[in-house]
Amino acid sequence: MPGPSSADTIRILVATDSHVGYNERDPIRGDDSWKSFHEVMCLAKDQEVDMVLLAGDLFHENKPSRKSMYQVMRSLRMNCYGEKPCELEMLSDASESFQGAFNHVNYEDPDINVAIPVFSIHGNHDDPSGEGHLCALDLLQVSGLVNYYGRTPESDNIAVKPVLLQKGRTKLALYGMSNVRDERLFRTFRNGRVKFFRPEAQQENWFNLMAVHQNHHAYTETGFLPENFLPDFMDFIVWGHEHECLIDPKYNPEMAFHVMQPGSSVATSLVPGEAVTKRVGILSITGRDFDLETHRLKTVRPFVMKEMVLNEDKEMKDLAKQENNRSDLTRHLEGVVEDLIKEANQDWVEAQGEVPDEEELEPPLPLIRLRVEYSAPDGGKFECENPQRFSNRFVGKVANVNDVVQFYRKKMTAARTNKNSTDLPSDSIMAQLSIDNIRVEKLVREFLTAQSLTILPQNSFGDAVSQYVDKDDKHAMEMFVNESLANQIKHLLQVDPADAEDEAVLHEAIGAYRSKLEELFAKGGLNRRKKAKLKPRPDNWDSDIDGEWADQPGALMLSDNNDNANGAAAAPRTKAAPTSRARGGKATTAASTTRQAPVKRAAAAKPAARGKKSTVVDDDEGEMLEAGDDAPPSDVIMLDNDDDDDIIEEAEPDSMPAAFSRANRSSVPAKIKSSAPKKTSGTSAKGSAPAPITTRSQRAPTRAAAAASQRQSGTGARQARLDFSQAPSTATVGRSGLRGSAGGKTQEPLFVQSADEISSDDDDEDEDAFEPAPLRSSGGRGGRKGKR
């Protein structure tokens, strides 16, 4: 078989963060952004690349001006249209990647002739907004100039599907994930709500290329996208959003892929990262191999930045001891700025390369930033001039005439010493823990080896720390410590009381049980991943303002039923709300709900006839949900419904009991899985509201007993009006309640209802002619009688 040739090579020009429209009202720098973008597109045409890949922020605003839109469309039409045929073959379903009226790649459109297709994702500056959720890239796609892919319509449920392209024998899987707010994307990855799709056939023959637009560095705890969150089958990552040009690919040994950060093509801030030379790259892919050639942009305005510390300059130290040194200091800084201007102009001329002699190159006005740290030595003082007045001295010489110089002082921080020093591992062990191959479990294991743990098992301790660091589980350590202490106390209670006073026996028992837990954990007998049980989120909780409820310290539910040694959680007994009768003889029950995973719908129970006794469900007849019944299959994407985890169904209006019209609608019970329909005293609203469950010990008195009690009281019957304003009391449910689903969660609360039951107060007297008979209630006195 002949070796690969140019017919098998896909050449891609890679650029990002063009920011067309940045500072376009500035009389000096207004055209910088679209000029550099036009140079990038002209380079693509001159180099005859197969395609262009843009990794976000093509525009500086999500509503670009007409001038910005005009300049971008002009450059795309001038350089991307032509008679040259596009040699890329589309293998995937284009409608899954390109949405809208024209859901196909533009070079396959029979009405236009595209020579160089452009594929782009959106960034944080040109993201969709407003009605229809459209952005500027949608306008470019509908006009046939850009292929807009990598949309993220749901930030809490992301599916990344590749665009499959082929040229000759080279197959390219092009992935793209447009910008999502960093904190939310971090949580979405942590919760496993991001799913990547791969080609079904010949997966090892595809070159997987991905474009992202997120923070690359950890500016905050969760305000970035870690590289290890991305799948390890990727071969090459193009990272947008960061403006510093780090175009040389860097290999990630942990994930086994390369990362390239092209940076922006225009300086949008005067920081050191923007002063790096602006470049774009042409990526050549042949089979599973790649090669990168870089090209310096020539139209970029030169930018030079320098930092000075006056206290470190010998001449400035002597000047600080003089009085009225402002003029001398200003004169010295002016000379520094003049040298920076010459350096910037010389650097721009060298970047232009060889030019004809008849053409005279006139460099544009450069960007200059001089940062001066003016902390004076003891006994001295630096008198600095106003920064704007100083900058205005260079009008006609620099482009930024208002912020050439920046004066600042370093913050003095007192050094802190740690009194409680701990024993660290040896230097040889610490030397082996390099940044590239460090693992949390290994670091914790080496650290704890130098310590002495008495109660907490060592390997479980490392696993809890790993969950806290890698999965950002804020409750991992708290749950681990509470469970370990509870298990040790439970084990110590089994020690012979005669030996309980001997400390040696207690230490031996603690050590033996800890060793047993470590051995079980090493064999996989203990659950390595447990999800914390959380309290119900308050109704008035706003996640965007108050933060995630799961991250709050008070959200963790501390249960008295601690886990066993094998990691299986004991299901706590659930409480139920009392029942009462509304008009028409129909019984209603108020029940609260907890945050829980949805379960399957129970079979609809037949409504009981009025006046008939209800069939009581036996304790052993109810079918319990086994762990994993409600777990989704691995190929199904579950929505990240942090704000509303409960599934509640309300009864139909025509079948809802009358009491529900006055009761709190939020008290409709959750759905319960049952093996077969069972007759109960409650009514089922078209299968949506489950029949209530009672225990044998809570059966209601019969009508005969109620009538006998009424005759003994000597009062006539009177219809009472129910008042649901009181908080319902609770009753205990037997073993027929639901057992927890996967992860140790319990389905609560179930509710209890007695047949033909009504609650009223016996002490309230009024002038009405009728009075209800006193009835016994399993849930206590939950209602009040009132006038009709």
Side-chain angles (χ1 to χ4, degrees):
M1 179 180 294
S5 61
S6 59
D8 300 322
T9 302
I10 301 178
R11 304 181 72 240
I12 307 172
L13 188 143
V14 181
T16 181
D17 292 272
S18 299
H19 285 275
V20 176
Y22 169 74
N23 210 6
E24 61 182 349
R25 291 181 175 84
D26 189 280
I28 301 177
R29 306 165 59 187
D31 296 335
D32 289 358
S33 58
W34 68 261
K35 285 183 178 179
S36 60
F37 174 74
H38 182 67
E39 180 186 1
V40 171
M41 300 311 302
C42 291
L43 180 64
K45 184 177 181 180
D46 295 340
Q47 296 293 326
E48 296 183 352
V49 298
D50 294 306
M51 58 177 284
V52 176
L53 177 61
L54 304 178
D57 279 354
L58 173 58
F59 295 96
H60 187 67
E61 299 177 356
N62 61 353
K63 296 180 181 179
S65 64
R66 285 174 288 185
K67 177 182 178 182
S68 300
M69 183 65 71
Y70 167 79
Q71 295 294 349
V72 169
M73 298 180 72
R74 180 181 71 90
S75 297
L76 291 174
R77 184 169 181 177
M78 289 176 58
N79 298 283
C80 296
Y81 285 179
E83 298 180 357
K84 172 180 172 292
C86 181
E87 301 181 13
L88 298 177
E89 181 182 0
M90 186 77 174
L91 300 182
S92 60
D93 186 3
S95 61
E96 295 183 354
S97 302
F98 310 107
Q99 303 172 3
F102 301 93
N103 54 356
H104 57 267
V105 69
N106 63 347
Y107 63 84
E108 293 183 353
D109 195 318
D111 299 327
I112 54 178
N113 191 7
V114 177
I116 303 176
V118 177
F119 293 85
S120 177
I121 61 175
H122 76 252
N124 60 311
H125 281 263
D126 52 2
D127 56 333
S129 63
E131 185 178 0
H133 204 62
L134 301 175
C135 65
L137 292 179
D138 287 295
L139 301 180
L140 297 179
Q141 177 179 340
V142 78
S143 61
L145 296 172
V146 167
N147 299 296
Y148 173 31
Y149 80 111
R151 291 175 169 86
T152 53
E154 299 180 20
S155 58
D156 294 334
N157 184 28
I158 301 177
V160 184
K161 298 183 179 180
V163 177
L164 303 181
L165 304 173
Q166 182 175 2
K167 179 182 178 183
R169 290 178 292 175
T170 300
K171 298 180 179 180
L172 173 64
L174 180 62
Y175 293 83
M177 185 172 62
S178 296
N179 178 264
V180 179
R181 189 167 62 91
D182 292 285
E183 292 78 9
R184 176 164 291 184
L185 183 63
F186 190 97
R187 186 177 72 250
T188 305
F189 268 100
R190 182 189 62 192
N191 295 338
R193 303 294 187 182
V194 181
K195 187 171 184 179
F196 290 82
F197 292 80
R198 300 187 65 182
E200 294 182 356
Q202 300 178 349
Q203 294 183 355
E204 66 280 357
N205 295 333
W206 291 87
F207 186 89
N208 301 293
L209 172 65
M210 184 175 183
V212 298
H213 191 96
Q214 303 292 150
N215 280 338
H216 200 181
H217 306 289
Y219 299 103
T220 60
E221 182 179 358
T222 60
F224 73 111
L225 176 61
E227 291 183 3
N228 57 6
F229 276 13
L230 300 177
D232 54 1
F233 63 82
M234 292 294 174
D235 297 306
F236 200 90
I237 307 296
V238 178
W239 209 288
H241 186 64
E242 299 287 352
H243 284 203
E244 183 178 4
C245 183
L246 302 175
I247 200 168
D248 295 329
K250 293 185 178 180
Y251 181 71
N252 187 325
E254 179 184 0
M255 306 305 297
F257 54 59
H258 289 80
V259 180
M260 180 182 70
Q261 183 177 302
S264 65
S265 57
V266 61
T268 59
S269 58
L270 302 180
V271 295
E274 297 278 14
V276 181
T277 303
K278 304 293 185 182
R279 296 176 179 272
V280 295
I282 296 181
L283 184 66
S284 300
I285 303 173
T286 305
R288 295 297 301 273
D289 300 326
F290 72 90
D291 182 45
L292 181 69
E293 56 178 298
T294 62
H295 296 265
R296 180 174 180 176
L297 298 179
K298 301 179 180 180
T299 59
V300 177
R301 187 177 298 274
F303 175 30
V304 178
M305 184 173 181
K306 183 177 180 179
E307 293 201 18
M308 289 184 59
V309 180
L310 298 180
N311 197 16
E312 296 178 357
D313 192 339
K314 183 178 180 180
E315 182 180 354
M316 292 294 100
K317 284 184 179 180
D318 298 336
L319 183 64
K321 300 178 182 180
Q322 301 177 9
E323 297 182 357
N324 300 325
N325 55 13
R326 175 177 300 180
S327 59
D328 294 336
L329 177 60
T330 302
R331 191 178 304 107
H332 176 76
L333 296 180
E334 284 182 0
V336 175
V337 173
E338 291 290 348
D339 294 339
L340 294 179
I341 294 175
K342 295 179 181 178
E343 179 183 350
N345 293 334
Q346 182 65 26
D347 183 66
W348 185 87
V349 172
E350 294 177 357
Q352 305 307 309
E354 297 181 359
V355 294
D357 296 336
E358 61 272 8
E359 294 185 9
E360 294 184 1
L361 295 178
E362 183 178 355
L365 298 179
L367 296 171
I368 303 297
R369 169 55 65 90
L370 177 63
R371 299 186 76 240
V372 180
E373 202 282 315
Y374 65 101
S375 298
D378 295 338
K381 180 181 180 182
F382 289 114
E383 298 181 1
C384 302
E385 190 177 2
N386 180 273
Q388 186 170 0
R389 187 182 299 114
F390 178 87
S391 302
N392 291 337
R393 297 173 181 266
F394 302 95
V395 174
K397 297 181 179 179
V398 298
N400 54 321
V401 294
N402 294 321
D403 51 4
V404 172
V405 67
Q406 180 184 13
F407 296 104
Y408 72 100
R409 283 182 177 177
K410 289 185 178 180
K411 295 182 179 180
M412 303 300 295
T413 57
R416 296 182 178 180
T417 58
N418 187 9
K419 297 181 180 180
N420 300 325
S421 59
T422 57
D423 297 332
L424 296 177
S426 60
D427 296 339
S428 60
I429 296 177
M430 295 300 296
Q432 297 175 2
L433 300 176
S434 61
I435 298 299
D436 296 335
N437 56 6
I438 188 170
R439 301 292 297 177
V440 175
E441 294 89 350
K442 184 177 180 180
L443 180 61
V444 173
R445 182 172 64 253
E446 297 294 344
F447 181 81
L448 295 180
T449 302
Q451 312 298 321
S452 59
L453 291 180
T454 305
I455 299 177
L456 302 179
Q458 177 177 318
N459 47 13
S460 300
F461 191 100
D463 182 70
V465 175
S466 177
Q467 292 185 52
Y468 178 80
V469 175
D470 296 338
K471 303 300 182 182
D472 196 33
D473 187 354
K474 299 183 182 301
H475 304 294
M477 295 300 300
E478 182 180 359
M479 289 182 59
F480 164 71
V481 173
N482 292 337
E483 293 173 2
S484 299
L485 294 178
N487 290 335
Q488 281 284 6
I489 293 175
K490 183 178 179 181
H491 177 71
L492 291 178
L493 291 177
Q494 300 175 1
V495 178
D496 189 0
D499 300 334
E501 297 181 358
D502 190 353
E503 294 185 1
V505 175
L506 293 180
H507 283 289
E508 182 180 358
I510 292 175
Y513 186 70
R514 179 174 59 84
S515 302
K516 178 181 178 182
L517 291 180
E518 292 178 351
E519 183 179 356
L520 287 174
F521 185 87
K523 296 180 179 180
L526 292 179
N527 291 338
R528 292 175 176 262
R529 294 290 183 264
K530 291 183 181 179
K531 191 172 182 181
K533 294 182 291 184
L534 303 179
K535 298 178 181 178
R537 183 172 58 86
D539 296 336
N540 58 350
W541 189 270
D542 192 339
S543 300
D544 294 334
I545 298 177
D546 303 326
E548 287 301 316
W549 171 248
D551 297 340
Q552 304 304 315
L556 181 63
M557 180 181 296
L558 300 178
S559 176
D560 294 337
N561 296 328
N562 298 296
D563 297 339
N564 298 327
N566 59 355
R573 297 172 64 89
T574 57
K575 299 291 185 180
T579 62
S580 57
R581 176 178 298 277
R583 296 179 181 177
K586 298 182 179 180
T588 59
T589 303
S592 61
T593 59
T594 59
R595 295 174 62 85
Q596 57 195 2
V599 298
K600 298 181 180 179
R601 182 190 300 270
K606 297 181 180 179
R610 181 176 181 180
K612 295 184 180 181
K613 294 178 61 177
S614 62
T615 302
V616 180
V617 180
D618 188 77
D619 290 351
D620 299 331
E621 290 178 358
E623 179 183 354
M624 296 185 180
L625 290 177
E626 295 295 338
D629 285 351
D630 58 347
S634 59
D635 57 344
V636 177
I637 303 174
M638 301 298 295
L639 293 178
D640 184 10
N641 199 0
D642 289 341
D643 296 333
D644 192 10
D645 289 342
D646 299 328
I647 294 182
I648 301 175
E649 283 198 8
E650 295 186 0
E652 296 287 341
D654 56 349
S655 62
M656 182 180 296
F660 274 85
S661 62
R662 298 183 298 274
N664 187 1
R665 292 301 180 91
S666 64
S667 62
V668 181
K671 294 183 289 185
I672 304 173
K673 177 179 178 181
S674 178
S675 58
K678 298 178 178 59
K679 296 182 180 180
T680 61
S681 60
T683 58
S684 175
K686 296 185 179 181
S688 60
I693 301 175
T694 62
T695 59
R696 292 179 176 179
S697 61
Q698 297 168 335
R699 298 180 180 175
T702 61
R703 286 186 177 273
S709 177
Q710 178 180 353
R711 288 194 299 269
Q712 293 177 4
S713 63
T715 59
R718 182 183 62 182
Q719 184 176 2
R721 185 179 60 185
L722 299 180
D723 188 355
F724 289 86
S725 61
Q726 296 181 355
S729 58
T730 58
T732 306
V733 177
R735 291 177 301 168
S736 59
L738 295 182
R739 192 172 63 189
S741 60
K745 291 187 176 180
T746 58
Q747 184 89 1
E748 68 173 310
L750 298 177
F751 55 92
V752 180
Q753 176 173 329
S754 300
D756 304 325
E757 182 184 24
I758 188 167
S759 298
S760 62
D761 289 337
D762 299 335
D763 300 331
D764 189 13
E765 298 293 341
D766 52 28
E767 297 83 10
D768 208 333
F770 298 96
E771 182 175 351
L775 300 180
R776 291 178 298 173
S777 174
S778 61
R781 296 177 179 178
R784 297 182 305 178
K785 66 178 182 177
K787 296 180 181 181
R788 294 185 60 182

